[in-house]
Amino acid sequence: MNTQSKSEAYAASGVDITAGYRAVELMKQHIARTTIPGVMGSVGGFGGLFELDMTGIKKPVLCSGTDGVGTKLKLAFIMDKHDTVGIDCVAMCVNDIICVGAKPLFFLDYIACGKNVPERIAEIVKGVAEGCVQSGAALIGGETAEMPGFYPADEYDLAGYSTGVVDKDKIIDNTTMNAGDVIIALPSSGVHSNGFSLVRKVFDVENSDIKSPCPELGGKSIGETLLTPTKIYVKPVLALLEKVQPKGISHITGGGFYENIPRSIPDGLGAKIDKASVKVLPIFKLLQEKGGISERDMYNTYNMGVGMSIIVAKEDVDVALETLKAAGEDAYIIGEIIKSDTKITIE
């Protein structure tokens, strides 16, 4: 740790650079968990280095994704729990790039805060590291910005960025999609990290008790349920790619079914979803009832219990389901692809 760099004038303005050094020391143990072959150097330099292994990749194509956690962070502030939102941050990035078949290589985070509390920053990074471990990516760098007067002292924002690689000939696209292809659902762990502006409004999280047990949620509190981190689908999908070439994958985030599933479907085809087959989680039922939200709006805002959809040929369904279940996913069929000018119907 740097013991020479210290500015009393800067500290008087609200920025303690020594707290930054302390935070880095505390987070190193978490970052070390994410080390994989290819990582070069250590955290603290001006750039994160990663040596790309091209073994088995004929035409390497890089794929990148970036995202944040959004206003779900407000729940972390209220619950004073900061070690899971980092998983959300990683998930929102790596779940996107796996949709084209890209294996995540590394991740970088950005934390902006009103006051750098080293222990809290380390807790945030602990979650980021856990997300990286779950996705097989290395945490090779990041930035913590202390911004007094811009953020309240006890609040922060969190965003991230990931890069992955895929062989050009194995990129998942929709050029071979046909009517009769089957849509498989991968269950979500909860609300994930989208639609929290509406969640916060419905449950009035800033002014109501969200820490007490809730019967509708099996005894878990609303706050605990909402903070459940976004599920990371990288490893199950990579396992699937060893057996089957999907025709389309959608990460169901903001915009729900109506926005995200059509993104993987070409013109002239549409998704027909069997609503009765969707395993809707209790939190969504409670949210809809308490907020008086229409079913259409629920499916156009939330994942409803389906965090990712995968489209495969009918003849590949059995192998796909078997492979995904062997990888720990309770995958199931929710619909099919049909000839249609309407991108998605849910009935």
Side-chain angles (χ1 to χ4, degrees), residues 1 24 28 62 81 83 150 160 188 197 204 215 235 253 272:
M1 184 169 70
V24 170
K28 282 183 177 179
L62 297 178
K81 182 174 174 57
D83 62 346
F150 195 90
S188 70
S197 294
D204 191 19
K235 291 181 179 179
T253 55
K272 183 179 179 181

Side-chain angles (χ1 to χ4, degrees), residues 28-219:
K28 282 183 177 179
Q29 61 176 313
H30 305 304
I31 296 171
R33 294 182 60 218
T34 75
T35 301
I36 61 175
V39 174
M40 299 176 64
S42 59
V43 173
F46 289 100
L49 298 173
F50 191 91
E51 182 178 11
L52 185 59
D53 182 0
M54 300 294 188
T55 304
I57 303 176
K58 296 178 180 179
K59 302 175 183 177
V61 175
L62 297 178
C63 177
S64 298
T66 185
D67 210 335
V69 181
T71 63
K72 183 174 184 174
L73 291 175
K74 288 284 189 179
L75 274 296
F77 305 155
I78 294 169
M79 301 294 288
D80 193 24
K81 182 174 174 57
H82 311 282
D83 62 346
T84 60
V85 289
I87 301 175
D88 290 290
C89 190
V90 175
M92 297 306 293
C93 298
V94 298
N95 282 347
D96 276 356
I97 66 176
I98 196 63
C99 287
V100 299
K103 178 182 179 181
L105 298 172
F106 55 79
F107 188 85
L108 293 92
D109 60 18
Y110 174 78
I111 305 168
C113 57
K115 179 176 177 58
N116 188 332
V117 180
E119 291 75 16
R120 184 170 59 200
I121 298 298
E123 283 291 287
I124 298 169
V125 175
K126 177 182 178 182
V128 173
E130 175 59 28
C132 288
V133 169
Q134 290 184 22
S135 60
L139 179 56
I140 63 170
E143 173 70 13
T144 301
E146 190 172 17
M147 301 169 63
F150 195 90
Y151 293 97
D154 57 349
E155 294 190 3
Y156 56 85
D157 197 8
L158 173 63
Y161 158 88
S162 184
T163 290
V165 64
V166 59
D167 197 317
K168 186 176 181 180
D169 294 334
K170 296 181 179 179
I171 292 175
I172 298 169
D173 58 33
N174 57 25
T175 55
T176 63
M177 196 175 296
N178 295 299
D181 290 338
V182 176
I183 306 171
I184 294 174
L186 300 188
S188 70
S189 56
V191 182
H192 282 183
S193 191
N194 302 101
F196 270 83
S197 294
L198 179 55
V199 165
R200 289 167 44 236
K201 178 183 178 182
V202 169
F203 291 120
D204 191 19
V205 297
E206 283 89 355
N207 302 302
S208 61
D209 178 16
I210 61 170
K211 297 182 180 181
S212 296
C214 179
E216 295 92 337
L217 299 176

Side-chain angles (χ1 to χ4, degrees), residues 234-292:
V234 171
K235 291 181 179 179
V237 173
L238 289 176
L240 178 65
L241 295 178
E242 294 290 327
K243 304 286 187 177
V244 171
Q245 180 68 11
K247 298 190 176 187
I249 301 181
S250 294
H251 180 203
I252 303 180
T253 55
F257 279 50
Y258 282 98
E259 181 175 320
N260 292 289
I261 294 179
R263 291 169 67 178
S264 63
I265 301 173
D267 291 341
L269 296 175
K272 183 179 179 181
I273 304 296
D274 176 14
K275 184 172 60 179
S277 70
V278 178
K279 299 176 182 179
V280 179
L281 295 174
I283 184 63
F284 296 112
K285 296 176 182 178
L286 182 62
L287 178 63
Q288 181 178 4
E289 179 182 348
K290 188 170 179 62

